[in-house]
Amino acid sequence: MTQLNTAALIKQLIADIQAGALTDAHHKLPAEPELMAHYQVTRYTLRQALQSLSKMGYTYQAHGVGTFVRPQQADSIALAHHGGLTAEMARLGSKLTTTKAQAAPTTRAQADFQPSETTLAPDDPLIAVTRLRAKDGQPYLMEQSYYRQTIIKTIPEAALYGSLFNYCEAQRDIRIGWIDQVIMSEPLPQVAAEYLNLPVGAPCLVVQDETYLSTGELLAFSKQYYDYRQAKFFMVKKVH
Amino acid sequence: MTQLNTAALIKQLIADIQAGALTDAHHKLPAEPELMAHYQVTRYTLRQALQSLSKMGYTYQAHGVGTFVRPQQADSIALAHHGGLTAEMARLGSKLTTTKAQAAPTTRAQADFQPSETTLAPDDPLIAVTRLRAKDGQPYLMEQSYYRQTIIKTIPEAALYGSLFNYCEAQRDIRIGWIDQVIMSEPLPQVAAEYLNLPVGAPCLVVQDETYLSTGELLAFSKQYYDYRQAKFFMVKKVH
DNA sequence: AAGTGGTCTAGACCACAAG
DNA sequence: TTGTGGTCTAGACCACTTA
């Protein structure tokens, strides 16, 4: 075990928990001093990792009692997940694939919806990306996104069918800082209805998000229409 | 400024930001060393508070550049908010009121829906609470919740029309630890449809949650049906 | 009283962006 | 090179649960 940082410790803890190597009969983890010694990290690093695990629903910590692993939330997407949606679906044991994708140049003024940030010029060049994505072969979501062409330059065909998130992160000079997400419900629009095999106007779970660089500059904005019968989002709210 | 802890610092920062007392012309906050000196806290406490502010969408931090205040998300409920829903609505400048409420004893087996935790006995005594809640006088959501009678004993009429969250927190021997939330979309059921003046089967934004004590014990589970035209949820996802 | 997690201090070093 | 935020160490004290 050599010099774990927080990210590595999180992975290691998840692996060790899933292997059942850490918990006793009551799903209780060793106390923090023991874990610190075992993984050779200080309390700060350990607790950063345990906080991540709590937010993802893996564990909870009871003051004065101990740290316990929880039954896994099996069918919901954790809003606190790391990495892209594809990776999160993999955690749930499902495979997310892109069945159809197309990209075309456009401008902000011509987009189907607008970002909340109003500082973009109407003729700001965008790359419009429409994708149909399936979960284990079943239609799952339709995604309409707009990438700022001044930042991302071009999106190769291969990236469209893989993880656009990973593609962006791999670019030089592009470091994603955070993503704003607005979760809502809307009547299903026609394009999405056809793909999801649902009537127009049926319930639809919608996520509208805006991706910002670590400098605070807007990189992209998008809207995802999920099949309401399949998609659920999960989060843990700590109370203090 | 006397001995601020994290919670107090968060409040103070929000107040100072809203008063415009902290930011320069570019919405930039003073650097961390300055803030530490100003509020007389260490970097740990300061950064805990700034992290909270980031998650609530008040600010963002740009590595190597500085900390900036963001335009406020005006019409969305922040999933990272502290306290109850009533308090969060107040932040948005709206008033959440309960227009109708009723409580009745029941058991787990008779509940309309079940918690994910399966360790509750079928005859576990519950208090069923149904509430209709309005935002600024307009019908906003219907809530069906079940409180475990072995823990909460009784719910007075007054609490039903106020904040049940605050009522529980105020009880002796009851310390809320965390709340699991599953966000989804469903066809609007009839009871909620009547209240919200929407057709049955219309889109509905649903939050199903489970409230746990800090000891890990289940306190309550509930389902809230929001008017999809009014309710949106907001969150910030950090990427590293 | 003992052992657990929760908070906070003080300080070091690293990574990033801009001049 | 300078100044910013990001990560990590080491250790103290507090609050809670259980015995």
Side-chain angles (χ1 to χ4, degrees):
Chain A
M1 204 79 58
T2 59
Q3 288 293 75
L4 290 178
N5 61 14
T6 306
L9 179 56
I10 290 170
K11 285 187 184 176
Q12 191 62 50
L13 280 168
I14 291 175
D16 291 348
I17 285 171
Q18 286 175 340
L22 278 180
T23 52
D24 67 8
H26 301 295
H27 306 290
K28 186 171 183 293
L29 264 64
E32 293 183 352
E34 270 188 71
L35 291 171
M36 289 162 62
H38 187 284
Y39 293 105
Q40 282 295 295
V41 293
T42 56
R43 203 163 166 221
Y44 176 89
T45 306
L46 175 65
R47 285 182 62 78
Q48 289 279 109
L50 288 177
Q51 187 182 42
S52 256
L53 262 58
S54 294
K55 284 183 188 161
M56 292 189 281
Y58 279 105
T59 60
Y60 72 90
Q61 294 193 273
H63 195 176
V65 185
T67 304
F68 302 84
V69 308
R70 304 184 52 186
Q72 269 284 69
Q73 197 77 18
D75 59 344
S76 304
I77 296 167
L79 287 171
H81 72 86
H82 301 159
L85 185 59
T86 313
E88 172 64 6
M89 297 299 294
R91 181 185 71 84
L92 299 176
S94 291
K95 193 177 179 188
L96 186 68
T97 52
T98 301
T99 55
K100 192 179 170 191
Q102 55 187 37
T106 184
T107 62
R108 200 219 70 188
Q110 293 174 320
D112 292 342
F113 52 93
Q114 299 292 320
S116 64
E117 177 157 341
T118 53
T119 54
L120 283 193
D123 62 345
D124 193 89
L126 302 173
I127 304 174
V129 177
T130 310
R131 296 201 294 178
L132 303 180
R133 315 195 76 184
K135 174 192 175 190
D136 297 327
Q138 293 292 315
Y140 188 61
L141 75 93
M142 191 204 81
E143 176 186 67
Q144 177 64 59
S145 45
Y146 298 95
Y147 288 79
R148 293 185 62 203
Q149 204 267 322
T150 47
I151 299 176
I152 196 71
K153 310 298 182 197
T154 174
I155 302 178
E157 187 79 3
L160 286 180
Y161 284 89
S163 167
L164 271 171
F165 179 88
N166 289 346
Y167 170 72
C168 291
E169 284 256 300
Q171 297 303 105
R172 292 178 200 283
D173 302 327
I174 292 188
R175 301 183 68 86
I176 297 177
W178 77 89
I179 304 172
D180 279 2
Q181 299 191 306
V182 178
I183 305 173
M184 51 197 171
S185 181
E186 286 184 356
L188 191 64
Q190 182 161 6
V191 218
E194 286 170 10
Y195 175 61
L196 297 175
N197 290 318
L198 279 167
V200 172
C204 182
L205 187 58
V206 179
V207 178
Q208 184 165 351
D209 58 32
E210 300 176 5
T211 305
Y212 293 86
L213 303 181
S214 58
T215 57
E217 194 179 9
L218 182 67
L219 164 65
F221 56 101
S222 78
K223 212 164 167 179
Q224 289 134 30
Y225 301 85
Y226 288 84
D227 183 336
Y228 80 94
R229 297 164 301 185
Q230 298 184 71
K232 297 177 183 182
F233 296 107
F234 169 77
M235 72 172 297
V236 181
K237 179 194 289 283
K238 280 275 186 70
V239 179
H240 291 133
Chain B
M1 204 79 57
T2 60
Q3 291 291 76
L4 291 178
N5 62 14
T6 305
L9 179 55
I10 290 169
K11 285 187 184 176
Q12 191 61 51
L13 280 167
I14 290 175
D16 290 349
I17 285 170
Q18 286 176 341
L22 279 179
T23 53
D24 67 8
H26 302 295
H27 305 290
K28 188 172 181 295
L29 264 64
E32 294 183 353
E34 270 187 70
L35 291 172
M36 288 162 61
H38 186 286
Y39 292 105
Q40 283 295 296
V41 293
T42 56
R43 205 165 166 219
Y44 175 89
T45 305
L46 175 64
R47 285 181 62 76
Q48 290 278 109
L50 288 177
Q51 187 184 44
S52 256
L53 262 58
S54 294
K55 284 183 188 159
M56 292 189 280
Y58 279 105
T59 58
Y60 71 90
Q61 293 193 274
H63 196 175
V65 185
T67 305
F68 302 83
V69 309
R70 306 184 50 185
Q72 269 283 69
Q73 198 76 18
D75 59 344
S76 304
I77 296 166
L79 286 172
H81 72 86
H82 302 161
L85 185 59
T86 312
E88 172 63 6
M89 298 300 293
R91 181 185 71 85
L92 299 175
S94 291
K95 192 176 180 189
L96 186 69
T97 52
T98 301
T99 55
K100 192 180 170 190
Q102 55 188 37
T106 184
T107 63
R108 202 218 70 189
Q110 293 174 318
D112 291 342
F113 53 94
Q114 298 292 320
S116 64
E117 176 156 343
T118 53
T119 53
L120 283 192
D123 62 344
D124 193 89
L126 302 173
I127 304 174
V129 176
T130 309
R131 297 202 293 177
L132 303 180
R133 316 195 76 185
K135 174 191 175 190
D136 297 328
Q138 292 292 315
Y140 188 61
L141 75 91
M142 191 203 82
E143 176 185 70
Q144 176 64 59
S145 45
Y146 298 94
Y147 288 79
R148 293 186 61 202
Q149 203 267 320
T150 46
I151 300 175
I152 196 68
K153 311 296 182 198
T154 173
I155 302 178
E157 188 80 3
L160 286 179
Y161 284 90
S163 166
L164 272 171
F165 179 88
N166 289 345
Y167 171 72
C168 290
E169 284 255 300
Q171 295 303 105
R172 293 178 202 284
D173 302 326
I174 292 188
R175 300 183 69 84
I176 296 177
W178 77 90
I179 305 172
D180 279 1
Q181 300 191 304
V182 178
I183 305 173
M184 52 197 170
S185 181
E186 286 184 355
L188 192 63
Q190 181 161 7
V191 217
E194 286 170 11
Y195 176 60
L196 298 174
N197 289 317
L198 279 167
V200 172
C204 182
L205 186 59
V206 179
V207 178
Q208 185 166 351
D209 59 32
E210 300 176 4
T211 305
Y212 293 86
L213 303 181
S214 57
T215 57
E217 194 179 8
L218 182 67
L219 165 64
F221 56 101
S222 78
K223 212 164 167 179
Q224 289 134 29
Y225 300 85
Y226 289 84
D227 182 336
Y228 80 95
R229 297 164 302 185
Q230 298 184 72
K232 298 177 182 182
F233 296 108
F234 169 77
M235 71 171 300
V236 182
K237 180 194 288 282
K238 280 275 187 68
V239 179
H240 293 134

